[in-house]
Amino acid sequence: MPHFRIQIRERHKLLILFFLGALGSACFIRYAGIGMEEEICAKGRMIFAGLAADLAEGDGLFWHCMARRGLLPIVWTGLSFTVFGLASLYLFWIYLGFSMTTALWVAMVFGGWRGPFYFWGLLFPQYLLYAPALLLIYASCLQWNRFWRIRRAPIRRLPVRSPQLRRFLARNLLGLLLIAAGAYAESQWNPWLLKKIFIKM
């Protein structure tokens, strides 16, 4: 009997995982979000007012952003040397689809037709840097984890001189530099956009 094998390209796999997360968010909104709309509308203005106050201070905002955005790549890098590396990479895209869909719904409940503008206002321009950084580190950790799972049994030690390890470290370092640039944009440029355009209390 012939055997059929379906090969899913990596980018298609990521889209499937992202949409699974978005579908999970839609189910959550459908069953648990009906009674939350009034609460979101009531607390939305208070949340944005608090955000405006935090942005007005500005001290230490870069390091706060760097700590929050840099945590995930560090976790990815560490787990790439374990059997949980692949699972952590794939679960992130499900979480990303769930969280972004939920955040967009919250912004639309609070802002109405202006909700999508609130949503993009919270992401721009830093995610123009975060997105390629995460994709770069994701691809690097994915390739290294596959190499590590194949080679760790016969070598039993870290292949320090291997070109795979050098590429892994170089790509992750470049990704962290992009995240640092995104953290600077989030702490310096995004607050100005929020205060001048989106936060009108």
Side-chain angles (χ1 to χ4, degrees), residues 15-142:
L15 286 174
I16 291 172
L17 293 172
F18 182 87
F19 283 118
L20 282 176
L23 181 62
S25 175
C27 293
F28 169 77
I29 292 169
R30 173 66 179 84
Y31 294 106
I34 297 176
M36 297 172 59
E37 294 186 5
E38 293 184 1
E39 183 179 355
I40 290 171
C41 292
K43 292 186 177 180
R45 186 173 296 273
M46 181 176 61
I47 292 172
F48 271 89
L51 179 61
D54 293 339
L55 295 175
E57 296 179 3
D59 296 334
L61 189 56
F62 168 78
W63 295 110
H64 176 72
C65 295
M66 189 64 190
R68 292 181 62 186
R69 310 308 177 196
L71 177 62
L72 179 64
I74 293 173
V75 171
W76 277 357
T77 301
L79 290 178
S80 296
F81 293 88
T82 71
V83 295
F84 303 104
L86 192 63
S88 68
L89 293 171
Y90 287 158
L91 285 174
F92 165 75
W93 295 100
I94 298 177
Y95 166 76
L96 183 65
F98 182 91
S99 60
M100 290 194 70
T101 304
T102 304
L104 178 59
W105 173 73
V106 169
M108 293 184 68
V109 169
F110 170 69
W113 66 270
R114 292 176 296 181
F117 296 100
Y118 287 146
F119 177 76
W120 291 114
L122 293 171
L123 302 181
F124 184 82
Q126 63 270 21
Y127 274 83
L128 296 177
L129 295 164
Y130 288 150
L134 288 176
L135 287 173
L136 177 63
I137 297 174
Y138 168 83
S140 174
C141 291
L142 184 65

Side-chain angles (χ1 to χ4, degrees), residues 133-152:
L134 288 176
L135 287 173
L136 177 63
I137 297 174
Y138 168 83
S140 174
C141 291
L142 184 65
Q143 291 177 359
W144 172 255
N145 183 254
R146 287 173 177 170
F147 170 77
W148 177 251
R149 284 187 291 116
I150 294 172
R151 294 293 303 276
R152 69 190 178 105

Side-chain angles (χ1 to χ4, degrees), residues 156-182:
R156 299 292 182 183
R157 60 186 178 85
L158 183 66
V160 178
R161 297 182 179 180
S162 68
Q164 290 85 354
L165 180 60
R166 290 196 295 269
R167 284 196 297 267
F168 171 68
L169 295 176
R171 290 171 179 173
N172 283 22
L173 178 60
L174 178 59
L176 285 175
L177 290 175
L178 285 173
I179 287 177

